[in-house]
Amino acid sequence: MPTTPSPAGSPSADSPSLPPPSAGPSSAAPSAAEAAPGGERSAVRTLLRLWPYVRPVRARLFTAAFVAILASCVGLVIPLVLKWLVDGPVAGRDPAGVWLGALYVLLLGVGEALLFGLRRWLVARPLAGVEASMRAHLYRHLQRLPVAFHDRWPSGSCCRAARPT
């Protein structure tokens, strides 16, 4: 029996219905095609499963990653300044140059610490929200499971990994 095409937005009888994009992360079990050979998931696949949770705060996370790279680069400059300090003013017995070099090292150290503090500030609150939404999604999923599932598991073992540390 031929089927007529369904209007846009409504699923037809022979096509699976998909949740709307705003419905949040999928709680479906992974298919055989998603699992890597040997039953192990790849790290990329696991990280991609986190994307629906991270998407709302992606700008702050990418900014924090850039700030972390910048702070690491500042940290790599400190030994170069120390090399210049030892090879130049210390070798030439120039006390004013030693103080200048020490000031450079101090400013670079403070700058690096400020950049790492900025990175922590950028990610602290958003990642707490990501963790809370993941936990809420897990609890919603566990509450939708049949009672027989919970009867098979020892008390508390399902939610042990979901508790904050």
Side-chain angles (χ1 to χ4, degrees):
M1 170 169 131
T3 60
T4 59
S6 63
S10 65
S12 65
D14 54 3
S15 69
S17 64
L18 298 174
S22 63
S26 172
S27 61
S31 66
E34 289 178 348
E40 294 291 323
R41 285 182 185 261
S42 70
V44 174
R45 171 90 43 206
T46 302
L47 288 174
L48 286 176
R49 289 184 67 199
L50 295 176
W51 183 247
Y53 300 103
V54 175
R55 186 177 329 152
V57 295
R58 66 184 177 268
R60 284 185 78 156
L61 291 180
F62 288 134
T63 303
F66 175 75
V67 168
I69 291 169
L70 188 63
S72 297
C73 291
V74 169
L76 291 174
V77 171
I78 293 174
L80 298 175
V81 173
L82 288 173
K83 179 187 180 303
W84 167 82
L85 181 65
V86 170
D87 292 344
V90 171
R93 299 189 188 281
D94 177 20
V98 171
W99 284 108
L100 182 65
L103 179 64
Y104 287 160
V105 170
L106 177 67
L107 290 176
L108 285 170
V110 168
E112 180 185 17
L114 288 174
L115 286 170
F116 276 121
L118 174 64
R119 180 195 60 86
R120 291 188 71 167
W121 177 79
L122 283 170
V123 300
R125 182 164 296 163
L127 288 185
V130 166
E131 181 183 355
S133 67
M134 289 174 68
R135 191 175 297 117
H137 184 255
L138 174 65
Y139 288 144
R140 276 194 310 271
H141 177 72
L142 288 174
Q143 288 175 347
R144 284 192 308 258
L145 291 173
V147 175
F149 172 82
H150 296 287
D151 286 340
R152 288 192 306 263
W153 285 81
S155 177
S157 67
C158 282
C159 298
R160 189 171 298 134
R163 286 183 297 189
T165 57

